[in-house]
Amino acid sequence: MKHKDGKPINLPNKNRNVTFVATLIALCGLSFYLGGIFCSGKDGVEVKTIQKTLDTPKQTSVSLLMRPISFPECGLDYQDYTPCTDPKRWRKYGLYRLTLLERHCPPIFERKECLVPPPDGYKPPIRWPKSRDECWYRNVPYDWINKQKSNQHWLIKEGEKFLFPGGGTMFPNGVGEYVDMMQGLIPEMKDGTVRTAIDTGCGVASWGGDLLDRGILTVSLAPRDNHEAQVQFALERGIPAILGVISTQRLPFPSNSFDMAHCSRCLIPWTEFGGIYLMEIHRILRPGGFWVLSGPPVNYEHRWRGWNTTAEEQRSDYNKLQKLLTSMCFKLYNKKEDIAVWQKAKDNSCYDKLPKENYPPKCDDSLDPDSGWYTPLRACFVVPDPKYKKSVLTHMPKWPERLHATPERIETAHGASTSASISTFNHDDGKWKKRIQHYKKLLPELGTDKIRNVMDMNTVYGAFAAALINDPLWVMNVVSSYGLNTLPVIYDRGLIGTFHDWCEAFSTYPRTYDLLHLDGFFTAESHSCYLNRCEMKYVLLEMDRILRPGGHALIRESSYFVDAIATIGKGMRWLCRKEKTEYGVDKEMVLICQKKLWQSSNKGSR
């Protein structure tokens, strides 16, 4: 027998071959079994191992060698490229329940290995807080909203800038007046009880922007579209936002996360498909939390003529909505003019009284309620675990005390006793306070108005964000979709975040973050049961895509990987320098890289 190149093959002894194969299968089976023991379940990973993973695969005097590399520019038509929500791929997916707007990442062989260019004329973004009211037109050169929503004052193009007067479909007189009315209906918005919120169908995120001054941190959510760029406008303004849509998959958040959810004529058909979208709101809303709806069918008695419908149809829609909410133990909390507020049950007494034939039904225990990464929506609603009594909104410490109070759900995330969990939590907090002090010496821009949008790419308890809480910035805390689930702890602290897998692109537009923080990611990957899942090159290219020109990447890593990261960074036109950690040890370094602003010389496509 010969190879296809003509060289002969020596055939092995068949009996030895069978024995070898059998042995190999047995070893693989044992390896798989042991991997399942050590890698599965919430208790399979200990927070203590985070420090242990700083030991490199080889001696610390040895580093990972990488040849110099240079990445080409993508074409200008990739300036707003979002790989996992790419309109060019929509034709492959159906219109049913807007499935095409969900995450559909390209296969490995279709991944782009080029640098996403800025638009022609791109300028460094206007600094916060001025950016909340204006941005450069050339940074987000999309006129569709301005032309279609000009009568509602979402934004106005004036010279080289877009201005944001704070208008919206349901608040033409300004978002401030709208939120003032809402606070009259929900006094808990004033005293620190309500801290985290989600705005579905956020527009240009004026609602979330207004709430920042009121001590409420909002995740503004809208799908990728072909002409509106709502999320890109929000982030350009310095307001937290991600791409997302309620369709067939759960949102990337754990259960009982948000204190308030809001929909201002977001056009989500809440009562269709058996009410499955509202079941998802119920899942992510904290017990005692508020759901706010303005727009159809609220105030249908006075508004139906402007909705191209009839009063009878709107009355029917409102009754269906009220019936659906009641069946999930929501109660109408308050209502005035165009705004209606419902409150989720504070305890399980209502759920216990629901009849067996209730629709929608209560979910069984076959699916983790905190699972939120490519998890299908189910036609049932999640009943909160009654053991978490302190996670009820009315029992939570008020903001800002909430930030440093040990969350009740840390025991589940950490898989340890109460005393051990508290000790670990406090140690993590103290450690990051010291680290942030050191980081500010290495990167003086941190803590100033030069850095606004920040992402902690692989956080544990959100201590990085907590240590920066008094600075003029906000942090998107990212928790691994396949590791220790600490995202409930982060939300219980009054911070925001999302699940993500860094083998894929993040749900945001290009050029949306000023600072990306990555702590021991590649070292942890090299030690994990999912060995080298994410190729370093693609993780760093994704970081380059979402980092603003002039922005920084702050990478804390084992010395073994630092030179390889710097080499790839140079190929992406980053300027990198190595620094000592606050401990001054050789086995770990801090790499600080800055993305240069460059203008595209490539007018075609890639």
Side-chain angles (χ1 to χ4, degrees), residues 264-418:
S264 172
R265 202 171 187 185
C266 58
L267 304 181
I268 296 175
W270 297 111
T271 57
E272 292 183 21
F273 310 110
I276 200 167
Y277 302 145
L278 200 50
M279 295 175 209
E280 177 63 357
I281 294 296
H282 179 276
R283 184 185 71 87
I284 65 175
L285 196 61
R286 188 180 301 281
F290 301 98
W291 185 58
V292 183
L293 177 66
S294 64
V298 176
N299 199 17
Y300 68 87
E301 301 93 338
H302 302 96
R303 290 284 194 178
W304 64 269
R305 290 182 181 84
W307 296 338
N308 296 320
T309 183
T310 65
E312 291 73 20
E313 288 177 347
Q314 289 300 303
R315 182 185 298 109
S316 175
D317 288 347
Y318 183 81
N319 290 337
K320 288 179 185 177
L321 180 64
Q322 181 62 48
K323 182 180 179 181
L324 178 61
L325 288 161
T326 301
S327 70
M328 289 188 283
C329 293
F330 279 99
K331 288 186 178 180
L332 185 62
Y333 186 78
N334 219 332
K335 184 180 175 184
K336 183 179 180 181
E337 297 179 7
D338 294 328
I339 303 175
V341 182
W342 284 268
Q343 186 175 32
K344 182 177 174 179
K346 299 178 183 179
D347 56 43
N348 285 27
S349 58
C350 173
Y351 302 118
D352 294 339
K353 295 176 183 177
L354 291 175
K356 291 183 179 180
E357 63 275 11
N358 183 74
Y359 189 86
K362 293 181 281 188
C363 292
D364 55 31
D365 296 327
S366 62
L367 189 63
D368 184 355
D370 290 335
S371 176
W373 187 248
Y374 292 120
T375 304
L377 288 179
R378 300 171 67 196
C380 59
F381 67 94
V382 175
V383 175
D385 191 329
K387 73 178 180 182
Y388 295 122
K389 295 180 181 179
K390 294 181 182 178
S391 297
V392 176
L393 181 60
T394 51
H395 296 159
M396 295 284 292
K398 294 184 178 181
W399 182 261
E401 291 79 11
R402 189 172 175 180
L403 182 65
H404 296 294
T406 306
E408 183 181 31
R409 291 194 280 181
I410 195 172
E411 293 180 30
T412 302
H414 189 248
S417 64
T418 301

Side-chain angles (χ1 to χ4, degrees), residues 84 91 138 297 300 336 343 435 459 498 519-520 585 605:
C84 295
R91 65 182 183 275
R138 293 308 314 171
Y300 68 87
K336 183 179 180 181
Q343 186 175 32
R435 288 184 174 185
T459 190
T498 180
D519 177 28
V585 296
S605 302

Side-chain angles (χ1 to χ4, degrees), residues 9-237:
I9 297 176
N10 294 321
L11 293 173
N13 181 279
K14 292 184 178 180
N15 292 332
R16 282 175 52 193
N17 206 24
V18 171
T19 303
F20 173 76
V21 171
T23 303
L24 182 62
I25 292 173
L27 288 174
C28 288
L30 179 61
S31 174
F32 180 81
Y33 172 72
L34 291 175
I37 292 175
F38 290 106
C39 293
S40 63
K42 292 184 178 180
D43 300 338
V45 183
E46 295 185 18
V47 175
K48 294 178 182 177
T49 61
I50 293 169
Q51 188 62 34
K52 292 179 182 178
T53 57
L54 295 178
D55 297 329
T56 58
K58 301 179 182 179
Q59 295 179 356
T60 54
S61 60
V62 179
S63 62
L64 181 64
L65 298 177
M66 176 142 327
R67 294 179 180 177
I69 186 171
S70 181
F71 297 98
E73 300 173 11
C74 303
L76 269 177
D77 53 344
Y78 279 88
Q79 67 185 28
D80 63 352
Y81 180 50
T82 55
C84 295
T85 49
D86 186 359
K88 295 178 181 178
R89 295 169 53 85
W90 284 353
R91 65 182 183 275
K92 297 182 180 180
Y93 309 102
L95 289 171
Y96 177 71
R97 287 171 55 180
L98 297 180
T99 305
L100 75 169
L101 298 179
E102 293 186 302
R103 288 179 60 85
H104 303 287
C105 298
I108 293 177
F109 59 85
E110 288 185 15
R111 287 183 178 178
K112 302 299 176 185
E113 295 187 27
C114 53
L115 306 180
V116 174
D120 283 342
Y122 180 89
K123 298 181 181 181
I126 296 170
R127 295 179 184 175
W128 183 267
K130 197 175 180 181
S131 64
R132 177 164 43 194
D133 301 323
E134 59 184 52
C135 75
W136 297 115
Y137 166 72
R138 293 308 314 171
N139 289 11
V140 194
Y142 306 110
D143 275 334
W144 189 90
I145 294 180
N146 179 43
K147 294 175 181 177
Q148 296 297 318
K149 303 287 185 178
S150 58
N151 64 320
Q152 296 170 11
H153 308 293
W154 283 30
L155 53 83
I156 300 169
K157 186 175 182 295
E158 191 173 287
E160 295 184 343
K161 294 180 179 179
F162 275 129
L163 307 182
F164 300 89
T169 306
M170 295 308 301
F171 34 93
N173 296 326
V175 67
E177 180 181 304
Y178 176 81
V179 176
D180 286 343
M181 180 185 294
M182 194 177 296
Q183 283 188 330
L185 299 176
I186 312 173
E188 292 85 350
M189 292 175 64
K190 300 178 182 179
D191 64 0
T193 300
V194 172
R195 165 61 182 172
T196 58
I198 182 169
D199 188 14
T200 53
C202 64
V204 294
S206 294
W207 186 76
D210 181 86
L211 288 176
L212 288 171
D213 282 342
R214 306 179 193 237
I216 298 175
L217 191 57
T218 304
V219 175
S220 294
L221 183 78
R224 167 67 206 248
D225 46 57
N226 231 349
H227 47 246
E228 295 180 43
Q230 299 172 81
V231 165
Q232 195 169 15
F233 275 118
L235 288 159
E236 184 69 20
R237 300 174 67 187

